[in-house]
């Protein structure tokens, strides 16, 4: 009893042959003769020996050389060796030959494509007919035991599709690299870079299913009409389509021909790095987070009041407003830094003082509420920073600040004490 996949294979070919050869004007006797000829041609006794002889005209390969160059198949040394990679499946997270269930490819004489399709039929047990022949299973022995040829002769003929010559041949049209051998600077491996066509067209199959399946089309139409669905769908942007073989994709490989020579390439552009406008300080908040251009105009306005010959309530109120503006800027920066503290703070490289870390990192929120020592240190630091910044902005024009001005700065900072927590 033949496997259903084998039965269907022969039925399809018989149907196609009869459709091609039987004409509507033929007499019944002619039609019957053609049907008998068809049954004979596609009988196991006739077709299997013929197919076994033609099997060597095609080479099964996982990495066809023709994807590198259409004319790389043959050179003065003969046909380029067929590469058939056998790699165990592994759930290691890598996108590689062994981790993708992709069909093997084939290249060679297009007239023997029916033999390739025959050997790659999937049997009831989930393995290919070729695997059964290689392992001499009961299925293979039943199929290849015929009157017109011996089992071993048929097996040798079919396995010629996957056998490689003893001599390994490459082509100068294939991209090659020299890879240094470990501990030997003068010796190299010569590596030919080949394309895993099964991986290429497995990617296309998955992308096409993701983009053009009936389910995705229905969801996309629903979205277009502002409809609701609990199920979403994915879009893939930045795809590029590449063609292999031009107008003759069959000259590249079987899989290439089946896909019209078109494959999809995912975008390989470098990631777009988001520009950070706020950085968590590594050493000192007042040096790294507060820039002079942020507060220079305020200190210049404050300087005019310091030089004023008048000392009335209006002058003092204006002075306090400028100082409060500086505190508002500082507190605004504080909140911006706290917002990025979780993502940007790296303990191993941080040189931030303990009281500044407590003040700025979101992990210390509870400590900021319960302890005061860090805040006392911070109030003194902010007060002295105000004095230093004034002197830095005004440079030689700055007046000499004394204890009275320092106490003024401390008083302004103390008024904002609760806002610093």
């Amino acid at each position: 009893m033949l496997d259903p996949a084998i039965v269907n294979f022969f039925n399809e070919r018989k149907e196609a042959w009869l459709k091609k050869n039987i004409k509507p004007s033929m007499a019944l006797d002619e039609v019957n003769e053609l049907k008998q000829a068809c049954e004979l041609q596609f009988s196991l006794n006739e077709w299997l020996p013929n197919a076994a002889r033609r099997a060597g005209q095609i080479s099964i390969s996982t990495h066809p050389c023709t994807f590198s160059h259409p004319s790389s198949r043959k050179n003065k040394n003969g046909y380029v060796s067929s590469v058939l990679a056998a790699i165990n499946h592994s759930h290691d997270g890598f996108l590689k030959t062994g981790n993708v269930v992709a069909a093997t490819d084939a290249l060679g004489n297009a007239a023997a494509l029916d033999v390739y399709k025959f050997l790659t039929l999937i049997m009831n047990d989930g393995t290919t007919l070729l695997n059964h022949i290689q392992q001499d299973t009961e299925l293979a022995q039943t199929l290849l035991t015929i009157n017109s040829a011996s089992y071993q002769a048929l097996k040798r003929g079919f396995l010629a599709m996957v056998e490689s010559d003893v001599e390994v041949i490459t082509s100068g049209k294939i991209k090659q690299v020299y890879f240094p051998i470990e501990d030997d600077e003068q010796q190299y491996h010569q590596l030919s870079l080949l394309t895993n066509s099964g991986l290429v067209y497995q990617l296309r199959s998955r992308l096409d299913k993701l983009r053009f399946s009936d389910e995705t089309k229905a969801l996309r139409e629903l979205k277009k009409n502002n409809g609701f669905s609990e199920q979403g769908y994915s879009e893939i942007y930045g795809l590029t389509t590449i063609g292999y073989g031009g107008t003759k994709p069959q000259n590249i490989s079987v899989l290439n021909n089946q896909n019209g020579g078109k494959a999809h390439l995912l975008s390989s552009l470098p990631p777009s790095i988001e520009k950070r406008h706020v950085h968590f300080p590594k050493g000192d908040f007042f040096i790294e987070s507060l820039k002079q251009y942020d507060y220079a105009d305020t200190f210049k306005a404050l300087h005019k009041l310091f030089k004023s010959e008048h000392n009335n309530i209006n002058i003092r109120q204006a002075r306090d407003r400028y100082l409060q503006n500086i505190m508002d800027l500082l507190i605004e920066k504080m909140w911006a830094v706290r917002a990025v503290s979780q993502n940007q703070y790296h303990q191993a490289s941080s040189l931030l003082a303990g009281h500044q870390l407590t003040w700025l990192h979101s992990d210390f929120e509870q400590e900021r509420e319960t302890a005061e020592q860090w805040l006392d240190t911070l109030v003194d630091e902010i007060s002295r920073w105000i004095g230093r910044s004034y002197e830095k902005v005004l440079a030689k024009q700055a007046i000499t600040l004394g204890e009275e001005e320092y106490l003024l700065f401390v008083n302004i900072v103390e008024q904002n004490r609760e806002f610093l927590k």
Side-chain angles (χ1 to χ4, degrees):
M1 186 66 179
L2 295 179
D3 190 280
I6 298 175
V7 175
N8 290 336
F9 173 84
F10 284 107
N11 287 340
E12 289 174 0
R13 269 140 192 82
K14 290 176 185 178
E15 184 179 346
W17 191 91
L18 291 173
K19 185 176 181 180
K20 177 181 177 181
N21 291 280
I22 294 179
K23 309 299 180 184
S25 58
M26 284 184 175
L28 181 59
D29 290 342
E30 291 179 300
V31 172
N32 289 333
E33 287 180 7
L34 286 175
K35 287 183 178 180
Q36 291 176 4
C38 179
E39 289 294 330
L40 179 63
Q41 180 175 334
F42 290 101
S43 66
L44 296 182
N45 280 315
E46 290 289 329
W47 192 87
L48 288 178
N50 178 273
R53 286 192 297 271
R54 294 184 291 122
Q57 299 175 16
I58 277 192
S59 297
I60 290 182
S61 174
T62 53
H63 297 71
C65 60
T66 44
F67 277 82
S68 298
H69 195 287
S71 301
S72 63
R73 173 71 170 145
K74 188 179 180 181
N75 55 39
K76 63 181 180 180
N77 298 316
Y79 285 100
V80 171
S81 300
S82 176
V83 177
L84 189 59
I87 303 174
N88 294 329
H89 183 85
S90 175
H91 294 286
D92 55 13
F94 292 104
L95 181 63
K96 62 184 184 183
T97 304
N99 287 358
V100 176
V101 181
T104 55
D105 205 346
L107 62 164
N109 189 354
L113 284 181
D114 58 334
V115 186
Y116 166 76
K117 293 178 180 178
F118 177 68
L119 292 178
T120 54
L121 291 174
I122 304 299
M123 303 294 100
N124 270 337
D125 60 0
T127 60
T128 63
L129 176 57
L130 180 62
N131 287 336
H132 279 274
I133 295 175
Q134 289 173 320
Q135 298 169 18
D136 291 317
T137 64
E138 182 180 350
L139 184 150
Q141 294 183 33
T142 301
L143 175 67
L144 301 185
T145 301
I146 58 176
N147 297 327
S148 56
S150 69
Y151 172 82
Q152 291 300 330
L154 293 176
K155 178 181 177 180
R156 283 195 302 273
F158 286 128
L159 293 186
M161 189 174 285
V162 293
E163 289 179 349
S164 299
D165 296 331
V166 175
E167 183 182 10
V168 178
I169 300 174
T170 186
S171 168
K173 294 181 173 67
I174 300 174
K175 296 179 178 69
Q176 297 172 342
V177 296
Y178 287 90
F179 195 83
I181 298 176
E182 187 177 1
D183 300 328
D184 194 333
E185 297 180 355
Q186 297 181 350
Q187 293 189 23
Y188 297 84
H189 287 302
Q190 185 182 17
L191 305 179
S192 295
L193 306 182
L194 300 174
T195 300
N196 183 345
S197 57
L199 200 62
V200 167
Y201 286 113
Q202 179 70 205
L203 174 63
R204 170 175 169 166
S205 174
R206 294 187 183 187
L207 287 173
D208 286 347
K209 182 178 180 181
L210 184 67
R211 300 164 67 204
F212 305 123
S213 67
D214 292 339
E215 183 180 8
T216 300
K217 289 179 180 178
L219 289 171
R220 195 178 284 120
E221 186 66 23
L222 195 62
K223 179 182 179 181
K224 180 180 178 181
N225 296 325
N226 295 322
F228 171 77
S229 174
E230 294 182 354
Q231 183 179 356
Y233 64 93
S234 300
E235 294 281 10
I236 304 294
Y237 299 102
L239 291 178
T240 298
T241 299
I242 184 173
Y244 294 103
T247 59
K248 296 182 178 180
Q250 68 275 14
N251 290 346
I252 304 300
S253 77
V254 172
L255 278 180
N256 190 66
N257 189 41
Q258 291 173 353
N259 288 274
K262 298 295 188 291
H264 300 321
L265 298 179
L266 295 172
S267 174
S268 58
L269 293 173
S272 177
I273 300 176
E274 181 182 356
K275 186 176 181 179
R276 291 179 176 177
H277 299 285
V278 179
H279 297 265
F280 192 86
K282 292 184 177 180
D284 192 310
F285 169 83
F286 298 96
I287 295 175
E288 299 173 43
S289 301
L290 294 170
K291 306 302 179 183
Q292 184 170 323
Y293 58 77
D294 290 331
Y295 50 75
D297 290 343
T298 305
F299 277 113
K300 290 176 182 178
L302 188 63
H303 174 68
K304 292 181 180 180
L305 296 180
F306 284 160
K307 290 184 64 178
S308 175
E309 297 178 357
H310 304 284
N311 184 9
N312 53 45
I313 185 129
N314 292 329
I315 296 294
R316 291 193 294 273
Q317 287 178 347
R319 176 201 63 192
D320 292 346
R321 282 197 302 271
Y322 287 134
L323 290 173
Q324 185 59 49
N325 288 342
I326 294 171
M327 286 302 302
D328 290 342
L329 170 66
L330 185 144
I331 292 170
E332 181 182 348
K333 293 289 185 181
M334 172 198 78
W335 283 111
V337 168
R338 284 181 181 178
V340 300
S341 60
Q342 286 288 350
N343 294 329
Q344 296 187 21
Y345 171 68
H346 300 287
Q347 184 177 3
S349 60
S350 178
L351 300 175
L352 208 60
H355 68 281
Q356 286 198 22
L357 182 60
T358 302
W359 176 41
L360 298 172
H361 202 291
S362 57
D363 284 351
F364 296 93
E365 183 176 357
Q366 185 175 357
E367 185 175 340
R368 289 197 294 268
E369 293 294 334
T370 56
E372 293 291 332
Q373 184 176 358
W374 70 271
L375 188 52
D376 293 336
T377 305
L378 183 65
V379 168
D380 179 68
E381 186 172 24
I382 294 174
S383 303
R384 296 188 184 281
W385 170 80
I386 294 175
R388 290 196 308 273
S389 299
Y390 164 75
E391 293 172 348
K392 184 176 180 180
V393 170
L394 275 301
K396 293 181 180 180
Q397 299 179 26
I399 64 172
T400 302
L401 301 178
E403 187 66 21
E404 183 178 348
E405 285 77 18
Y406 171 71
L407 293 176
L408 170 66
F409 300 154
V410 171
N411 182 55
I412 290 294
V413 178
E414 283 287 354
Q415 292 177 20
N416 292 270
R417 188 182 181 95
E418 290 301 316
F419 300 111
L420 294 171
K421 291 185 176 180

